[in-house]
Amino acid sequence: MPLTSFDFQQARVKQVLFKSRLRSVLYGVREAEASLFSPQENPLGQWLQTVLQPQHGTHPEVRELDRTVQQMLRTGQDLATRYQRGHIEEARTGLDQINTFADRIETLLLSLERGLAVA
């Protein structure tokens, strides 16, 4: 089934959801769950594995997107660990790194969306 602009919009929502959940961990609202940082269980990682890669896994942007998402998840896990160890301000400052990954992901999603001529 061809991808639509709605598919890409869902990916963007999943990314925002990750950032929101991570922020709530770093501000003590929720506990860090392993599934948040697992590419197989994270909603954006799941979307990549089940929707994007099967159809378009050969595109360089898809491989770069996968690498960037994995880096973002690893960095998020590191920030959560820092927070748990009492390095609260250091962890919160690290959210800038997450935003950098998010910006790169958005750029890649836009490139893919345009490159695949999504309806």
Side-chain angles (χ1 to χ4, degrees), residues 84-101:
Q84 291 167 340
R85 291 182 178 160
H87 303 281
I88 295 169
E89 286 307 312
E90 182 181 321
R92 290 177 182 165
T93 301
L95 286 170
D96 288 341
Q97 292 175 285
I98 299 298
N99 288 329
T100 300
F101 288 124

Side-chain angles (χ1 to χ4, degrees), residues 29-80:
V29 175
R30 67 173 30 208
E31 291 293 317
E33 301 166 3
S35 62
L36 182 61
F37 308 110
S38 166
Q40 294 79 24
E41 296 178 58
N42 176 279
L44 184 56
Q46 286 178 339
W47 181 81
L48 275 168
Q49 291 175 4
T50 61
V51 176
L52 194 58
Q53 287 177 339
Q55 296 179 42
H56 304 287
T58 59
H59 285 76
E61 293 95 338
V62 173
R63 291 191 300 272
E64 178 65 21
L65 183 60
D66 184 45
R67 280 192 296 276
T68 304
V69 168
Q70 288 188 32
Q71 288 175 313
M72 182 177 71
L73 296 177
R74 281 193 303 272
T75 301
Q77 187 170 32
D78 179 58
L79 296 178

Side-chain angles (χ1 to χ4, degrees), residues 98-111:
I98 299 298
N99 288 329
T100 300
F101 288 124
D103 291 344
R104 178 69 182 140
I105 290 167
E106 175 61 22
T107 300
L108 290 165
L109 287 172
L110 279 171
S111 175

Side-chain angles (χ1 to χ4, degrees), residues 2-16:
L3 293 173
T4 66
S5 58
F6 181 71
D7 291 309
F8 285 94
Q9 192 59 35
Q10 283 184 314
R12 290 176 179 98
V13 168
K14 292 171 192 305
Q15 177 181 302
V16 170

